[in-house]
Amino acid sequence: MAAAPTTDQAFSLLAAANNHGDLAVKMSSLKQAKDILLSIEPSLAAELFPYLVELQSSPESLVRKSLLDLIEEIGLKAMEHSSVFMPVLLALLKDVEPTVARQSIVIGTKFFCSVLEELALQFHRRGKIERWLEELWMWIAKFKDAVFAIALEPGSVGTKMLALKFLETYVLLFTSDTDDFEKAVTEASRQAFNISWLDGGHPVLDPVGLRSEANRTLDILLNLLRSADSLPGSLTITVVNCMLTSSLLRS
């Protein structure tokens, strides 16, 4: 019978992924380390997260992109240990390789939505918010600010398109709806977040402030549309699509 994988094995594989000179060996080691980290208890896997995040300094963009994929798989599974990953997502938003920056936006958006849902559900079920979740939300807020800046500053068109899609997501999340929170949490363990879930009050999330910021974000998209003549065609199309989606929800 084969021995169960151990944290020592994962540590050795992460060391190879960080230090070996051959890219193929790095990628193979990282894949094996990922399999181990996903198979062991999250609390044990978390002991190796500091070694995992060292890969953000890898000179190979493929390694950095694979790190982001791994952060998505492991971080969303072990959310209470995920604060260590947030500085990586923030740093790689500015990566010199556009595909890495874009991947950071995509994965950070998933974290944003998941943490938001967890904040609402945890307070509903326990009547309080654990410290780790508050800390994670503070990082998420920094991520949001960084992506908003990308959407409004000069840069890669492809990266800006994803940043604009994040703005659209922000508007959709914090626009009023009439869904029944009690029904939602009864029918499924996780549901897409709805701002109406916060109408009874929340110790971390301010529904009035979030709705107001969603309106300001919609104004940002509208102002971008007004200046469409100065935007590349693909960005104009993205802004129009974002506006249409947001308007349909609010109508």
Side-chain angles (χ1 to χ4, degrees):
M1 182 176 179
T6 66
T7 54
D8 286 343
Q9 289 174 312
F11 176 79
S12 297
L13 289 164
L14 288 175
N18 271 296
N19 302 315
H20 204 283
D22 188 292
L23 178 59
V25 173
K26 285 188 175 187
M27 295 302 296
S28 175
S29 298
L30 185 56
K31 182 181 183 304
Q32 294 177 68
K34 179 191 77 170
D35 292 341
I36 294 175
L37 292 172
L38 287 171
S39 69
I40 62 180
E41 288 295 322
S43 60
L44 293 176
E47 296 176 6
L48 298 176
F49 288 176
Y51 303 101
L52 179 61
V53 299
E54 290 178 5
L55 289 166
Q56 68 180 298
S57 301
S58 173
E60 294 93 356
S61 61
L62 185 58
V63 172
R64 300 194 302 277
K65 191 172 185 299
S66 296
L67 168 62
L68 287 170
D69 292 335
L70 201 154
I71 285 175
E72 177 185 0
E73 289 191 63
I74 294 178
L76 292 177
K77 179 182 177 183
M79 196 179 293
E80 64 271 29
H81 305 290
S82 291
S83 289
V84 68
F85 294 136
M86 296 313 299
V88 179
L89 289 175
L90 282 169
L92 295 183
L93 284 174
K94 301 177 181 179
D95 198 272
V96 295
E97 173 54 53
T99 58
V100 175
R102 291 197 289 269
Q103 186 74 351
S104 188
I105 294 176
V106 170
I107 293 173
T109 300
K110 293 179 181 179
F111 269 91
F112 186 94
C113 295
S114 294
V115 172
L116 190 60
E117 290 173 17
E118 185 62 27
L119 278 165
L121 293 172
Q122 189 175 101
F123 182 64
H124 173 76
R125 291 167 176 164
R126 303 183 187 181
K128 63 179 183 179
I129 301 298
E130 294 183 56
R131 178 58 191 164
W132 66 263
L133 189 54
E134 288 190 56
E135 180 183 355
L136 194 53
W137 179 248
M138 287 189 288
W139 279 110
I140 290 294
K142 293 179 181 179
F143 171 84
K144 181 267 293 182
D145 291 341
V147 177
F148 269 53
I150 290 171
L152 300 175
E153 295 171 356
S156 164
V157 171
T159 305
K160 286 173 67 67
M161 287 172 65
L162 282 175
L164 289 169
K165 292 297 292 182
F166 178 82
L167 267 64
E168 175 193 312
T169 297
Y170 196 86
V171 172
L172 298 180
L173 285 169
F174 300 128
T175 298
S176 297
D177 204 334
T178 57
D179 283 2
D180 186 334
F181 181 40
E182 295 292 338
K183 181 180 179 182
V185 297
T186 300
E187 291 182 350
S189 60
R190 296 192 72 83
Q191 295 284 328
F193 173 83
N194 190 296
I195 187 65
S196 64
W197 294 1
L198 307 180
D199 286 344
H202 195 279
V204 175
L205 302 171
D206 172 20
V208 174
L210 291 171
R211 285 188 175 104
S212 177
E213 189 162 13
N215 287 331
R216 289 195 296 271
T217 303
L218 195 59
D219 287 339
I220 290 172
L221 292 171
L222 182 58
N223 288 333
L224 286 171
L225 189 59
R226 288 169 177 158
S227 61
D229 289 346
S230 63
L231 296 176
S234 55
L235 284 182
T236 300
I237 293 171
T238 300
V239 173
V240 169
N241 288 337
C242 291
M243 290 293 299
L244 286 173
T245 303
S246 300
S247 298
L248 284 173
L249 178 67
R250 297 162 68 92
S251 61

